[in-house]
């Protein structure tokens, strides 16, 4: 007889929710998608076709009561995330907390009110922390925040190489998350609750810095700037469409980040880990597939149009590993607490962007007020 | 209620058989692996772990009687293929005919006795034809020979681009199938029944020529040469470890091929379609993943180590599409008869390699005897 | 009869001086190297062999009196540059002012005392300004500071493309100057008078920002950080071996820079100009030559080992164009005053590195004291 | 006093002749262009501007009598080459024999009548041989046939790497010479006297095979085919616009070649040397410069538009080395006799193209008549 499969539900069937639902439904052999929740009729209609046979709830609490349900993927609208994650934890479900509207927001999903935290980074961290606290009370549950790059084969290969010592001591990390230009104005509406470009996009890059430099890295300073090159209306949400930031860590390590909403060619996320004896570059040369066109204008390659085009297999792998960790009661590949640290740095960058000031931290990671410098 | 799933069995659980079994078991949502056949105990043991719950038969005929069985993937030892394919057809099963021992043999799988056809290409084509004939008697069955590159996203993108006219009239095709050097001597033993390097490796490239130039292309001439650079013992099987061949088609088209068993860096299969107004290159720059190492010796990329590393997703796609074609009774993406044409060309190249002579064909594709030239 | 050739002398025959001398001697058809100056015996000996027939002076003032001399390339030790440039101008010679010890210091050459200006950027700018002032009094003279990248074919092509509008409005510039790791300790000794990594290396990148964003760009803010990953002794000279800086310009443009002394693979200088409708990358994929090695460890390319390996042809082009501008009395390709602006930014970055503070400027480019923010 | 410079003249100031003249005039420090010959008024006018001060002769014999003349570069119309080369040798001049009308014809230049030798390869070799014979009588003279790739830095680096043993025993060579599509019909007119695509284009690739496999390599067989994809009128000159050929050498080595006149993107000449332990690729990824465009259609690079764009520096290096060999009386980098062997192979490929037959040679390199096989 076959092993029992993880009984999993997905909350939210928007862009990313639908992908998660399909991945658990079709591409995760050890899991069975047993329920889904969406309050949106169009999404429920979609589910009838693509998630044939899976019961669709329009009440989240009802879905949590689905018989035999073991785990929930939270992928609803951002503002509901933290609350829903905490409710799932309280209902004794394992949780994979994801993002609803964007290809690149992760941690935001774990927070009750993304709008506010661009105003108040401390609050932002508190809300992020509340999910961690809820999870801490149920140590038998697996609660994971979906940093998809952690599951990407190239990022993992890079980590293993770095970890083997071949580049010496990792010292500088450069990382960017750059979206294809979307002239529809989507990003302006989205910025209202995205947390800002450093929280929304660079949160991935920050997480990579914490991965490659070590989860115990302590921030020394944060500074950021940015412009609105294509969407000036972003300023009303205190956001930009191109941001540059530097994060200094105690112990002689520096990470610097770039995020953009106006790449012409497509999604171009890349990272360099520069060590004392070598450098590892991930995706310096983005590719859509293995085709090169030789034309009168030269040789041309296309690149992925969006985040999912780049990281599709990482999302599938994420589903596999979350499933395995629950079924086999093994450790998740990274800790939930790191997500709080990433949000803290992202919010500080966003604050620096808006205040125009560099923010400093002492060797324990506590913020040093400007007046005390 | 969910749609019924294709009830499929895999015959043979060697290297490629095991991959097919896993793909149908875990990665093909619309199919259910209901049975497998292997006479090898080690493979049966492997199946208990990796194909948990799937009944394993050690008698092929018994497996064909598995209740509800609809389709069979033939992936046993090469010499049994054609016979098993025909038996499955006669038992009224849909058939996906595959190869057993190599990452790169396709059509060979469809033939009873690979050894002989290097000696006698006409016989070779007859045997290949016998599968076609059996299939022709059961037009309600889907019978497909697994040319994996036909399912590869890059090759398909290339076809669509070519088909849209952007490179003008396709005129020259260059294609190579090059395996990583395997110093174990595997390829020598393997050559005994592989049909030779042009049938084993370049069959893929020949199939690509028939795809890109059109299934109705008529061969005008065939010439080949080769060497045994690393494995001189191959000569006892009338084979080589590096082969170069040219196939001329009537109507002003030329394909030329290279195959090798001694690539240092890994598997490097690539194709160029050269048209009157542009060129499409597929996999000119092979990559293992998106990592680049910057080291004292320069910048380095790794490439896939074997055929499956390059074409894994194509095999999964093949399983999806074969499944869909059966369940929905839609057309297979290409015709079985093309496989006979590919084998004919491959065998002619192999014959030219060994005779040292160019072989010519008239405008109907009939061979012109040298004495008549 | 042939046109008269520019009678040119080179002051300093160290690494870069020797290259300039050879370029004017052998590779600049319209120029004739008629004299050289070096106080170093070893260099004079070298000249006897490689600059056969060219008189070598060990007194700079004597060289300036060489009959018929029209132009001087200043490439002596850094600390003598500004003084020698001014002396040459006063002696009515055209001047190409270069750097002596490094492959990457340009503007430093124009300054009397490089040591001091890391301490006092205002002084630094004053000294740079003094060369400009001397030149201003002799408007018939051509006085150029050698920003070699301005003569590089790829950088020029990039400018022309940007200028044609294909990438929309240039908004973000990323640029790096990264030297191969030199474990000899050279860079520590060198840092004593190099002006620091932002003045020494990133001065090129700053100049590119002023080129691509426009010579009239006004700095809004400057912030930098850095580490000593491989050469901690650099701190005694207030320098680092890896630096990251952000320069914001009024009008919504941002440049960010990276410089490093520890690249394993070789020299990697690169630039990206990101516009509202496209991006131009220069040297994202550095190459030494057109050879790729396919080996057991993958596919590998070597890259240039040093600055001259990357920019050799730009230096030759610089010699050609300086010569032509003098002989034909045409405009130099860029203005000397821009060099002062570049030094100002470089010194501000270096100051920010050491103070840990962001420096702000008003819309006229005047510095805003922190107390006034 | 400076060393005496080589007194050199250029015969022919067409496309390549003009380039040679400029290279010796401006870019070859040890040479002095003292005369040039052209019967064409337009070229003589050009020379007045660009070769200022250099006497221009309209009589070749007169030019040979120019006082002090030491060496001649033969770059007139093809049909005059061999005769002029022999006349120069008889006048006791060193000779660098070049091509007149194309970017890619080399050896043709050394032959009196290119038209005929496609008809009669033996004659072709005889004529080529006549230059060798004339040179043999004057062993104190340096007589070189301009195979420009022999002077290219990447090809030399490739040779050195191969020679050091890192790829094991070189076994397979793939090489192509592919011109950008020229819709003007130039190539049709040109084909009348080019010798055909294998002699005109692939002669370079053949020469590379003789370089990398060794000058003493003996041809075992030759076979070729081709098509007229864009210029059907080429058939009247027994030529094609796309050719594929295989050359087998005794001792287990195979070279295969491709030449084309219809590349959309530009000149793409490339070579692979495949050894038993590795592969060296030269120019797999052609580049015009270091710029990459990121656009809505992807990432794009331009490539050189013609042969000179790819090999400019090799031609300059050729001038330097020819000059040095004469002045210092040192050995030329390769032997004139190799050129005869290359022409022999090129003519055999062209013959095979037109006869449709494979040509075989015995172990001494003597041709085996088909009737004796």
């Amino acid at each position: 007889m076959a092993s029992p499969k993880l009984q999993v539900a997905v909350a939210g069937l928007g862009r990313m929710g639908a992908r998660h639902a399909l991945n658990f439904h079709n591409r995760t052999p050890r899991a069975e998608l047993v329920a889904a929740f969406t309050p949106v009729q169009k999404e429920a209609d979609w589910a009838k076709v693509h998630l044939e046979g899976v019961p669709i709830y329009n009440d989240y609490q009802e879905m949590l009561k689905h018989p035999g349900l073991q785990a929930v993927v939270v992928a609803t609208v951002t503002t509901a995330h933290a609350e829903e994650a905490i409710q799932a934890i309280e209902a004794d479900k394992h949780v994979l907390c994801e993002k609803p509207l964007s290809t690149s927001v992760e941690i935001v999903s774990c927070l009750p009110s993304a709008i506010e935290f661009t105003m108040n980074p401390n609050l932002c961290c508190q809300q992020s922390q509340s999910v961690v606290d809820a999870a801490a009370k149920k140590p038998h549950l697996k609660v994971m925040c979906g940093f998809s790059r952690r599951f990407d084969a190239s990022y993992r290969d890079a980590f293993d190489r770095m970890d083997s010592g071949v580049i010496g001591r990792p010292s500088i990390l450069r990382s960017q998350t750059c979206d294809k230009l979307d002239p529809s104005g989507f990003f302006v509406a989205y910025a209202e609750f995205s947390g800002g470009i450093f929280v929304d996009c660079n949160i991935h890059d920050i997480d990579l810095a914490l991965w490659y430099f070590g989860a115990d890295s302590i921030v020394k300073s944060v500074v950021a700037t940015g412009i609105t090159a294509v969407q000036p209306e972003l300023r009303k949400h205190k956001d930009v469409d191109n941001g540059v930031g530097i994060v200094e860590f105690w112990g002689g390590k520096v990470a610097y980040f770039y995020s953009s909403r106006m790449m012409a060619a497509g999604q171009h996320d890349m990272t360099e880990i520069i060590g004392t004896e070598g450098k590892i570059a991930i995706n310096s040369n983005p590719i859509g597939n293995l085709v090169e066109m030789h034309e009168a204008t030269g040789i041309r390659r296309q690149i992925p149009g969006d985040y999912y085009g780049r990281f599709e297999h990482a999302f599938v792998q994420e589903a596999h590993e979350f499933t395995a960790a629950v079924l086999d009661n093994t450790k998740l590949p990274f800790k939930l607490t790191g997500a709080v640290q990433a949000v803290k740095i992202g919010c500080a960058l966003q604050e620096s962007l808006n205040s125009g000031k560099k923010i400093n931290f002492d060797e324990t990671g506590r913020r040093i007020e400007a007046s005390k410098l």
Side-chain angles (χ1 to χ4, degrees), chain A:
Chain A
M1 220 202 108
S3 302
K5 294 189 172 188
L6 180 69
Q7 307 293 295
V8 66
V10 170
L13 294 173
R15 193 158 61 158
M16 282 310 302
R19 286 165 176 165
H20 278 290
L22 288 170
N23 286 346
F24 277 97
H25 193 48
N26 293 330
R27 304 171 78 173
T28 309
R30 300 184 67 194
E32 186 177 351
L33 184 72
V34 295
F37 155 69
T38 176
V40 181
Q41 188 55 43
K42 203 177 67 176
E43 293 175 12
D45 294 345
W46 173 89
K48 265 175 219 152
V49 178
H50 294 94
L51 306 176
E52 205 187 348
V54 176
I56 308 300
Y57 293 83
N58 60 12
D59 181 310
Y60 181 66
Q61 290 292 350
E62 287 306 307
M63 188 194 76
L64 287 181
K65 294 176 195 152
H66 186 89
L69 183 68
Q70 294 173 279
V72 176
V73 178
V74 177
T76 43
V77 290
T78 317
T79 44
H81 274 180
E83 194 184 341
E84 287 175 1
I86 291 168
Q87 287 170 348
I89 291 166
E90 287 171 352
D92 225 41
K93 310 300 175 198
H94 305 278
V95 175
L96 169 54
C97 186
E98 262 299 336
K99 60 270 164 195
L101 287 169
S102 141
T103 58
S104 50
V105 193
E106 237 84 13
I107 191 62
V108 173
S109 333
C110 309
L111 302 175
S113 169
I115 299 173
E116 292 168 59
F117 68 67
T118 67
M119 311 304 148
N120 187 335
N122 291 328
L123 178 59
C124 141
C125 293
Q126 279 168 31
Q127 291 162 332
S128 186
Q129 187 64 41
S130 68
V131 179
V132 174
D133 292 344
K137 288 179 200 148
K138 304 258 192 169
H140 62 288
L141 295 181
K142 307 292 174 190
V143 182
M144 186 163 91
C145 213
F147 281 120
S148 46
R149 293 185 203 180
R150 295 262 191 167
F151 299 93
D152 177 67
S154 296
Y155 276 108
R156 287 180 163 190
D157 182 34
F159 181 83
D160 292 343
R161 289 169 186 266
M162 183 200 79
D163 204 41
S164 77
V166 291
I167 62 162
R169 195 174 60 256
S171 303
I172 301 281
L173 183 135
R174 173 168 86 81
S175 199
Q176 71 179 36
T177 296
C178 294
D179 294 339
K180 190 172 170 69
L181 178 67
D182 177 347
S184 72
F186 166 78
F187 281 122
V188 176
Y190 178 60
E192 190 175 343
F193 47 85
S194 77
I197 201 163
F198 289 106
V199 177
D200 182 28
C201 289
N202 286 131
I203 198 79
H204 290 288
D205 307 294
I206 296 165
D207 179 59
L208 291 172
L210 294 173
W211 184 19
Y212 292 125
F213 283 167
D216 53 351
S217 300
I218 309 284
V219 184
K220 186 178 177 189
S221 76
V222 155
V223 69
T225 191
I227 55 172
T228 51
V230 283
Q231 286 156 332
E233 318 79 43
L234 283 171
R235 287 312 295 154
K236 73 182 171 208
H237 302 305
K238 302 206 169 190
D239 206 0
V240 291
D241 50 27
N242 283 268
V244 179
I246 304 174
V247 176
E248 204 180 355
F249 292 93
W250 286 99
K253 288 175 181 171
V254 174
Y256 67 110
F257 305 121
Y258 174 52
S259 47
S260 178
R261 304 285 194 196
M262 66 176 202
M263 292 294 105
Q267 187 81 23
H268 189 187
D269 303 335
M270 68 157 296
T271 303
E272 288 180 345
I273 312 146
I274 303 163
T276 49
E277 293 162 33
K279 181 169 96 171
I280 304 175
I282 302 114
N283 205 30
S284 278
N285 289 290
I287 63 167
N289 61 25
L290 298 168
V291 168
E292 287 173 314
M293 296 302 296
H294 292 236
E295 306 162 314
T297 50
I299 301 175
R300 179 169 61 90
R301 283 196 106 123
Q302 286 184 288
I303 75 171
D306 61 21
Y307 193 86
Y308 201 70
R310 165 66 183 87
F311 289 106
E312 176 181 348
H313 294 297
F315 282 101
V316 173
Q317 187 64 20
E318 181 183 77
H320 286 203
E321 297 193 17
F322 174 72
T323 299
V326 174
L327 289 177
D328 305 337
N329 193 20
T330 51
K331 283 218 302 192
L332 289 164
F334 52 94
K335 291 183 185 167
L336 187 62
T337 49
V340 179
Q341 174 74 343
V343 171
K344 176 181 160 183
I345 295 171
C347 293
L349 284 163
Q350 199 73 21
E351 180 187 332
S352 174
L353 165 72
N354 282 304
S355 71
K357 294 192 178 155
K358 189 177 171 187
I359 302 171
N360 296 282
F361 300 86
D362 68 19
E363 297 195 32
T364 69
R366 220 168 320 174
R367 186 168 176 160
I368 305 172
E369 291 311 312
S371 58
K372 303 217 173 128
L373 284 173

